[in-house]
Amino acid sequence: LPLSSQIYPIHLPRETRTRRALLICNIEFEHLSQRDGAEVDVKGMTELLEGLGYIVDIHRNLTSQGMATVMKDFADRKEHWTSDSTFLVFMSHGVRAGLCGTKSRGETTDILSLDTIYEKFNNKHCRALLGKPKLVIIQSCRGGKVGSVMVSDTADPAMPDPSSAHTIPAGLEDDAICEVHLESDFATLHSSTPDTVSWRNSKTGSIFIQRLIEQFRNHACNSDLQEIFRRVQYSFGKFPRQLPSQERTTMLRKFYLFPGC
């Protein structure tokens, strides 16, 4: 196969291309803690996406039903017909079943199932994005467990003090309420592996979003999307409490945001 057939086509010149991105960020909740630092994430992601050529639709503090409605409206936008791709960015507290809406009290109330994201943008419900990359970025916890384990290289390892294994780094909070196993379709990068927390600094924002922005800025001009995702994951090699996870993907080709630049 020729190399060009392995890469998603970008048919339209930049001047007539109408890339749109959706960003939903829940910061203030009726019953859960405020996600301090999340506004920094919104600003950083918006600047990044605009730099990549997307007009960003931003929504804050929605219930699960509100999130679903906003997604449907965004999926129906006519601009997708003259776009080559979309980014769908979600930031919230998370539980086993999905993302928390603003009225959530925990695992069972006001939860947006992640399946809903893929349903709203599948080929049946969003024909305008048929055959085009749909890139999902999720900053949330997927459970309450710390992602690291204590490992020893000795033949007879002494058990570490469990309290020392789970101390929280200074200045970081987690977005957890519970635990999860998720399935997804498109090209998704989740901030953590199943069952584990994602860390956020109340002043500088989420570690995952910070590192994602850095890797896109450094490599979007010469690397395909999944290579950038891998670089984000690699950047967590020395931060064992959290590891971003590429979810099940249906990307058939490589996606370059700036082909030939």
Side-chain angles (χ1 to χ4, degrees):
L1 284 172
L3 184 63
S4 59
S5 68
Q6 299 291 300
I7 297 171
Y8 282 101
I10 295 178
H11 296 301
L12 295 164
R14 193 173 300 193
E15 304 74 58
T16 53
R17 209 159 56 212
T18 53
R19 284 179 170 174
R20 304 289 299 215
L22 175 65
L23 192 159
I24 295 175
C25 182
N26 289 339
I27 300 174
E28 296 173 356
F29 299 80
E30 292 185 14
H31 309 289
L32 308 175
S33 61
Q34 181 165 306
R35 296 182 59 249
D36 295 326
E39 204 55 66
V40 179
D41 294 340
V42 173
K43 182 175 185 290
M45 279 303 298
T46 302
E47 289 174 356
L48 174 71
L49 291 168
E50 288 175 349
L52 296 173
Y54 295 85
I55 295 173
V56 187
D57 292 7
I58 303 171
H59 300 269
R60 293 176 178 82
N61 301 328
L62 299 174
T63 63
S64 56
Q65 182 56 56
M67 289 189 274
T69 300
V70 160
M71 280 193 285
K72 184 184 184 306
D73 292 345
F74 183 75
D76 289 341
R77 292 198 77 112
K78 65 182 186 306
E79 289 94 338
H80 295 313
W81 290 103
T82 44
S83 178
D84 52 31
S85 56
T86 191
F87 273 82
L88 309 167
V89 182
F90 301 88
M91 307 173 182
S92 189
H93 283 303
V95 296
R96 181 185 184 95
L99 295 167
C100 296
T102 52
K103 296 182 183 297
S104 175
R105 291 177 179 271
E107 246 188 290
T108 57
T109 54
D110 196 23
I111 302 299
L112 177 77
S113 166
L114 294 193
D115 290 341
T116 306
I117 299 170
Y118 304 102
E119 182 187 338
K120 298 287 184 193
F121 293 94
N122 67 18
N123 293 332
K124 178 181 177 184
H125 293 122
C126 188
R127 296 293 302 280
L129 287 170
L130 176 69
K132 300 173 183 179
K134 294 165 277 281
L135 316 168
V136 184
I137 307 292
I138 301 173
Q139 163 62 40
S140 79
C141 281
R142 313 178 69 176
K145 298 178 183 176
V146 175
S148 57
V149 293
M150 300 297 284
V151 185
S152 170
D153 283 335
T154 63
D156 183 23
M159 287 303 291
D161 173 9
S163 62
S164 69
H166 295 284
T167 51
I168 296 173
L172 294 180
E173 305 168 355
D174 69 55
D175 278 336
I177 337 183
C178 258
E179 140 185 27
V180 61
H181 218 82
L182 295 174
E183 277 217 334
S184 51
D185 296 317
F186 319 156
T188 302
L189 190 61
H190 208 302
S191 56
S192 59
T193 51
D195 301 331
T196 62
V197 298
S198 296
W199 297 100
R200 173 174 36 80
N201 184 295
S202 59
K203 296 196 169 49
T204 58
S206 307
I207 296 175
F208 169 67
I209 296 295
Q210 291 172 46
R211 296 189 182 183
L212 183 138
I213 290 170
E214 179 184 359
Q215 295 302 322
F216 267 92
R217 290 219 165 109
N218 290 340
H219 301 289
C221 73
N222 57 19
S223 298
D224 70 276
L225 178 91
Q226 284 175 283
E227 170 62 13
I228 297 171
F229 279 5
R230 187 197 63 76
R231 286 176 179 272
V232 176
Q233 292 174 289
Y234 183 79
S235 75
F236 279 79
K238 291 184 167 58
F239 187 74
R241 295 169 178 276
Q242 180 178 341
L243 180 63
S245 172
Q246 289 194 52
E247 299 297 314
R248 185 182 292 183
T249 177
T250 52
M251 294 279 278
L252 302 178
R253 309 178 189 189
K254 293 184 175 182
F255 178 50
Y256 289 90
L257 285 146
F258 298 111
C261 76

